[in-house]
Amino acid sequence: MNSISNRRLNFRVEGEAPGSKARASRLTTLHNEVETPVFMPVATRAVIRTQDMAAVDELGFPVLLANTYHLLIRPGTDVFRKFGGIHKFMNWERSVLTDSGGFQVFSLPNAVKISEEGAAFRSYHDGSTILLSPEKSIETQKCIGSDIMMAMDQCIPSTSEYGLCEESVELTARWAGRSLAARGDSLQSIFGIVQGACYPDLRKRSAGQITALPFDGYAIGGLAVGETGNERNDMTELTASLLPPDYPRYLMGVGTPIDLLEAVHRGVDMFDCILPTSHGQQGVAYTSQGIIELRRGVYKFSDKPIDENCTCPACRRYSRGYIHHLIKTGEYYGGNLVGVHNLTFYRNLMQTMRRHILAGDFYPYYLEQRDILVRGDENHPPVPTRVKKRKETLSLGSYEVVRQDGGFHSIRHVSSGEVMHSVTDPLVEAKRLYVDQLNIAETLSGHSAGSYIVWDVGLGAGTNAMATVREYEKIYEEMGELPELRIISFENDLDSLRLAVKNPSLFPHVKHPAPAAILGKGEWSSSRFPVKWILHEGDFCEHINSAVIPHCIYYDPFSLHTDTPLWRYSLFRELHEKCSGYKTMLFTYSSSTQVRGALLAAGFYVGRGAGTGPKSETTAAFSTPEACPPWIELLDREWLGRFERSSSKHGADCSEEEKIEIERRVLEHPQFD
Ligand SMILES: [Zn+2]
């Protein structure tokens, strides 16, 4: 067979499968031989979450992946220098691959300033600003001492528009050259990464640029970030075909067992993904008979193991019924057991594929497994939900459901005619305007004083609160530790939430236990994550004094005309006093001069918030200048000039004395010094 080798990894293709592009190969790192196809479990912070590393060691994975971004922040490079690298630090004797850290930086919303030099972000550990450049990334990876380093690339959502993708391809090529140069004469290997989203011509351009550089292997990046399965398979096939045959090919961040099978069939050698353990925590197990979800009640009395053909520690010792119980009660050990089972399944899948490639019968195996790997539990098929003709309740109290042109549904306040989230899909708007600006990953990681409190003023149909709960759950799964989040919603009329809960098909955000609990008991706590949601029913103004001081306020009542008292200067003053001594952020959809003026006069520092739908900007306010994150631009003197000239800067019910006071306080505001 092909025996061309490159210098550092001595990569050799040992077998190719007829009827397929699948191949079996062997490479040698600084620590051991690696047979491919290979799956690399993700040890984010030098440990695989929920797993006993001694048990993982016994499974014999030849390579682990560790995240440079997380390790750079904690424990930091000094610790790796002291220990002489990650292998000694975590007592792992086989290979380690490190990513560049770029992917994590780019997945933090708003937190990044990208320049030719690199990507700047704020440390979630101590709040300091860190510039991740290709040189800094490689220097960190050298310190960590991984066997295989990754060049720094710019990863953007695979669904981004062409122009953005083209720029990212070009930047990635320049950063690839700098990464390679920064490696110098280190014996550590380094892989280049091909970008280009789902645009074939950009994939070709990027592959040409990256493979022109003398890397030790090539990765396919920018997939598994938003595209469909078919798009991913097509782009994998195209990109793999553009890579030189005598170097390892690595598909980053992918995927489920079926994804691995499809990509091996298309010529990929290496994979990493958090799914075996993150799905494990949700009780999703991959078996030789298909996928089973251990949360389901059908397993409550089952004394069979997860998979009768598996010899993992979970299947040797425990029944489905026991693991179902652990998962249902949120016990950590449940996630540990399903995780170790899934890791075993992945390891076996890779070894079996390799065996079939070498035996020359991979293609028939591929055809058979394509069906099996996506099968559900055929002995316990999902019970078809009985189709009940139910009369839809499309109005309740003061509210009614309206269908918008964009195909989504909103709730209208009948008497005022005001529609909650009328132009943009409510969930999209809630995410962009409130959740993304709160920036849970970064803000909560940097928060050290007890629970993080979010006030949700104007609960409405619960969209903002639910978008926050879901984002928190997602980020918690990824990061593993965050302070407790407590959402306090204020609402005087629960009919709009009731209306949404009665129509879950129109308002999918209510498909979660929390909204019903809020309606029933006025509060909800998650059994799996430290997140709590509490309702204060009644007028917001009456609750300000007694409610716990917030770190962030979603200010989303009806408009100035409908909810006039909630936009008054006097109320904002009360709010500002409430938060004095705290670093509190406030986000609201309004960008009116009147609202901004009232906030400034009340003592808030006021800046331009993210745009959403037709609004190019909204408003973000901060109790102190220290609470303002670096990506928010505070209003400047030009805005002040417009304020002075504006004829609509005061509410209709504002007294003359109040008008004078507001103007004076805005003009004297230290923000404009
Ligand atoms: Zn098992």
Side-chain angles (χ1 to χ4, degrees), residues 306-307 310-316 340-342 344:
I306 297 176
D307 185 346
C310 179
T311 56
C312 82
C315 292
R316 280 203 310 266
V340 77
H341 166 82
N342 283 342
T344 307

Side-chain angles (χ1 to χ4, degrees), residues 63-337:
V63 194
L64 290 185
L65 180 142
N67 288 121
T68 295
Y69 167 82
H70 292 292
L71 296 177
L72 170 63
I73 291 174
R74 263 189 313 202
T77 47
D78 290 354
V79 169
F80 289 107
R81 274 197 201 96
K82 169 77 172 61
F83 277 83
I86 191 169
H87 294 84
K88 287 189 183 133
F89 183 55
M90 66 182 288
N91 192 22
W92 175 258
E93 291 177 350
R94 292 188 287 269
S95 303
V96 173
L97 180 147
T98 40
D99 61 6
S100 71
F103 181 77
Q104 271 80 21
V105 173
F106 297 120
S107 52
L108 295 174
N110 299 334
V112 188
K113 278 231 157 69
I114 296 168
S115 62
E116 188 63 37
E117 182 58 21
F121 66 99
R122 269 195 318 159
S123 161
Y124 61 71
H125 179 45
D126 60 11
S128 62
T129 300
I130 298 176
L131 176 75
L132 189 71
S133 63
E135 291 77 16
K136 172 85 174 175
S137 167
I138 299 300
E139 180 203 319
T140 309
Q141 295 184 68
K142 281 184 179 173
C143 251
I144 294 171
S146 51
D147 298 82
I148 301 174
M149 307 186 283
M150 297 303 297
M152 185 158 149
D153 61 333
Q154 189 193 9
C155 186
I156 60 175
S158 54
T159 48
S160 304
E161 58 169 271
Y162 187 88
L164 281 177
C165 292
E166 188 174 25
E167 281 172 27
S168 102
V169 160
E170 293 299 329
L171 187 62
T172 293
R174 294 192 294 274
W175 283 359
R178 283 167 54 189
S179 300
L180 194 59
R183 190 257 307 257
D185 56 5
S186 161
L187 292 176
Q188 289 166 266
S189 299
I190 181 169
F191 285 17
I193 303 172
V194 175
Q195 288 288 349
C198 292
Y199 301 104
D201 66 314
L202 291 183
R203 284 278 165 192
K204 283 180 194 154
R205 191 197 299 184
S206 182
Q209 290 167 333
I210 302 299
T211 59
L213 297 168
F215 285 110
D216 306 301
Y218 296 94
I220 305 170
L223 292 177
V225 280
E227 74 287 346
T228 66
N230 283 340
E231 285 172 329
R232 183 180 319 150
N233 289 338
D234 291 350
M235 283 304 121
T236 301
E237 181 159 358
L238 170 70
T239 313
S241 76
L242 298 166
L243 299 177
D246 45 349
Y247 286 82
R249 301 168 184 158
Y250 163 30
L251 178 56
M252 301 177 77
V254 173
T256 58
I258 184 69
D259 293 335
L260 302 189
L261 179 81
E262 294 288 359
V264 166
H265 173 59
R266 288 166 171 80
V268 177
D269 309 307
M270 301 167 70
F271 304 89
D272 79 282
C273 195
I274 59 161
L275 283 182
T277 46
S278 68
H279 273 172
Q281 285 176 280
Q282 296 159 22
V284 176
Y286 295 98
T287 78
S288 57
Q289 312 298 314
I291 304 162
I292 68 172
E293 293 180 45
L294 287 152
R295 297 189 81 82
R296 294 181 54 206
V298 292
Y299 303 117
K300 188 171 179 182
F301 299 103
S302 170
D303 56 4
K304 286 202 257 172
I306 297 176
D307 185 346
E308 282 173 321
N309 297 319
C310 179
T311 56
C312 82
C315 292
R316 280 203 310 266
R317 285 194 194 87
Y318 301 112
S319 63
R320 291 175 173 188
Y322 177 62
I323 297 172
H324 163 83
H325 158 72
L326 295 177
I327 295 286
K328 287 296 277 186
T329 48
E331 284 293 338
Y332 189 78
Y333 195 41
N336 169 280
L337 290 173

